[in-house]
Amino acid sequence: KRIQRLMEVKTGASTWEEWEQKFLPKLIVTENVKDSSEIQAKNVKPGFSSGFATHDYNDSGMKEGDLILLTGKRNQGKTTFSRQMVIAAAEQKIRSMVWYAEADEALEKGYLVRLVAEPKDVEKTDNGFGRTTWLVGEEAQRKFNEEYENYISMYIKPLSLDIPVFNDLIARMREQAKLGTRLYVIDNMMKLTADQANALEAQKRIIMELKEFAVRTKSTIVLICHPRKGDGDQSISGALEQENTADTILRFTRGNITNTPDAIPNRVSITAKVTCEKIRNGGTMHPMFFEFNNERQANIEVAYLPELKFIADTAALFSRSPIQPQPINEDPF
């Protein structure tokens, strides 16, 4: 006895042959193969750059149809990393949508502005209680408004909703997809299931819907998840389907990082390590090392892989990516 509305028509494949060619390969994933010669090697088409050289090298960039999970305990760098992905996309003229369950829009914009600000445009002050704060000047604000803001859509969850939180989110994502948005950052999974009676069942449904949305709209989804409680356990809290469905999982650890490569210069102070797991499409797995920059609220990557031919430069905002941005007039994928 409730009104149903038709949301979309003519989506997906029109014929069985089209489905076999376009959609079936995305569903066939071969993992844990002992001998790589047992499967036919794929020529993976790279996506747009994430802004981090090692991630691009590992995962061939941000590819269409991919679902990426970021996990780790609080204050490990997950949100900082995702913000830099959004900025990197904007630099390549790619639209993104960022969904926050708990945030202040002005504050979040301030973090993004600091990422693109020149060092001279960031003012260091004391809040009067012994805590240092950093504020950006008018020049940085102007630069962000002119060069980045039009490519970034920020949505803060309302305090009250008449429908489930995820239903509201997916409706917003569908609207953005029609505008050409290709990157979606969701912070975080826990808040998507807070209003559900059975959180585990809700997580299973949500993760499958997000993956299906990414494939159908040829977009990339970055979902922030919290780990299980307990020391040393970095597995994602909740339904196992989250890790099983994801294309890539990035696990963040911040603190005194040991066993760093000798190739990293002594002047670099490693504060975070990101391990990359469950990379599909024949990817590789190399850890990323970061030095955190307080003024910019940025993770500056230290790419040590010989293949990347990159010398650590802490003055740079992002590492130099081996994948060149696509021309603006072409499909970034």
Side-chain angles (χ1 to χ4, degrees):
K1 296 183 180 180
R2 296 184 179 181
I3 296 177
Q4 294 184 342
R5 295 180 173 85
L6 182 63
M7 301 298 293
E8 293 182 282
V9 296
K10 298 182 179 179
T11 58
S14 58
T15 64
W16 175 265
E17 289 74 21
E18 182 186 356
W19 184 83
E20 280 189 321
Q21 293 178 8
K22 186 178 294 185
F23 295 90
L24 183 59
K26 297 179 183 297
L27 304 178
I28 300 177
V29 179
T30 304
E31 298 183 80
N32 301 322
V33 178
K34 295 181 180 179
D35 184 358
S36 60
S37 64
E38 295 178 12
I39 60 175
Q40 183 178 1
K42 295 181 179 179
N43 183 16
V44 180
K45 185 178 180 181
F48 60 89
S49 172
S50 67
F52 295 96
T54 310
H55 177 268
D56 288 342
Y57 181 86
N58 284 344
D59 217 5
S60 299
M62 307 286 280
K63 301 188 298 299
E64 63 179 49
D66 269 14
L67 175 62
I68 303 172
L69 303 187
L70 310 185
T71 188
K73 295 181 180 180
R74 293 185 180 277
N75 299 319
Q76 302 300 298
K78 304 184 296 295
T79 301
T80 298
F81 187 86
S82 67
R83 290 188 186 117
Q84 288 173 247
M85 284 182 164
V86 170
I87 292 296
E91 288 178 344
Q92 298 165 80
K93 312 302 181 187
I94 294 170
R95 292 180 58 91
S96 62
M97 172 187 169
V98 188
W99 183 88
Y100 292 109
E102 295 177 320
D104 177 87
E105 187 168 353
L107 182 63
E108 291 301 329
K109 180 180 178 181
Y111 283 126
L112 293 175
V113 174
R114 282 162 69 179
L115 285 173
V116 303
E118 298 291 337
K120 62 181 178 62
D121 294 325
V122 181
E123 302 174 2
K124 184 176 180 180
T125 61
D126 191 308
N127 70 347
F129 297 93
R131 181 177 179 180
T132 303
T133 58
W134 293 271
L135 299 175
V136 291
E138 294 183 1
E139 179 60 26
Q141 292 279 0
R142 182 198 62 78
K143 178 181 179 181
F144 180 84
N145 293 341
E146 291 181 0
E147 300 179 18
Y148 296 87
E149 190 171 36
N150 290 337
Y151 295 99
I152 302 172
S153 174
M154 190 181 303
Y155 182 65
I156 309 296
K157 181 185 75 65
L159 294 177
S160 61
L161 284 169
D162 295 331
I163 59 176
V165 173
F166 180 71
N167 291 15
D168 178 62
L169 168 62
I170 201 70
R172 304 280 179 175
M173 292 172 64
R174 290 184 182 123
E175 293 173 359
Q176 287 293 318
K178 295 176 182 178
L179 299 176
T181 299
R182 289 294 177 265
L183 172 63
Y184 299 86
V185 176
I186 303 172
D187 189 358
N188 53 61
M189 168 60 95
M190 184 180 296
K191 297 301 179 180
L192 291 178
T193 59
D195 58 353
Q196 299 292 313
N198 189 326
L200 288 179
E201 290 301 320
Q203 285 177 352
K204 295 178 185 179
R205 175 177 56 83
I206 287 172
I207 205 73
M208 295 303 295
E209 286 195 38
L210 289 176
K211 175 60 180 176
E212 189 274 336
F213 178 91
V215 172
R216 181 165 51 82
T217 61
K218 298 182 179 181
S219 58
T220 306
I221 296 178
V222 176
L223 175 62
I224 297 178
C225 303
H226 293 304
R228 297 181 188 277
K229 294 182 179 180
D231 295 332
D233 189 357
Q234 286 287 78
S235 59
I236 294 174
S237 175
L240 293 176
E241 280 75 8
Q242 295 177 91
E243 296 197 14
N244 294 337
T245 304
D247 297 282
T248 303
I249 301 173
L250 302 181
R251 303 187 193 276
F252 289 72
T253 305
R254 191 172 171 186
N256 296 324
I257 307 300
T258 59
N259 300 323
T260 58
D262 295 333
I264 294 180
N266 293 330
R267 62 186 174 84
V268 177
S269 176
I270 300 299
T271 56
K273 179 182 179 181
V274 183
T275 54
C276 202
E277 301 176 18
K278 198 178 171 60
I279 303 173
R280 296 186 176 178
N281 296 320
T284 54
M285 292 187 183
H286 295 283
M288 288 179 278
F289 294 90
F290 292 104
E291 180 178 15
F292 188 75
N293 181 287
N294 280 319
E295 287 83 355
R296 297 251 186 113
Q297 287 287 303
N299 281 320
I300 298 180
E301 181 181 11
V302 180
Y304 66 93
L305 299 174
E307 296 90 342
L308 300 180
K309 299 178 181 179
F310 171 75
I311 299 176
D313 180 8
T314 55
L317 173 58
F318 303 119
S319 62
R320 298 181 181 89
S321 170
I323 298 178
Q324 297 298 322
Q326 300 288 337
I328 298 174
N329 60 346
E330 293 185 10
D331 188 333
F333 294 105

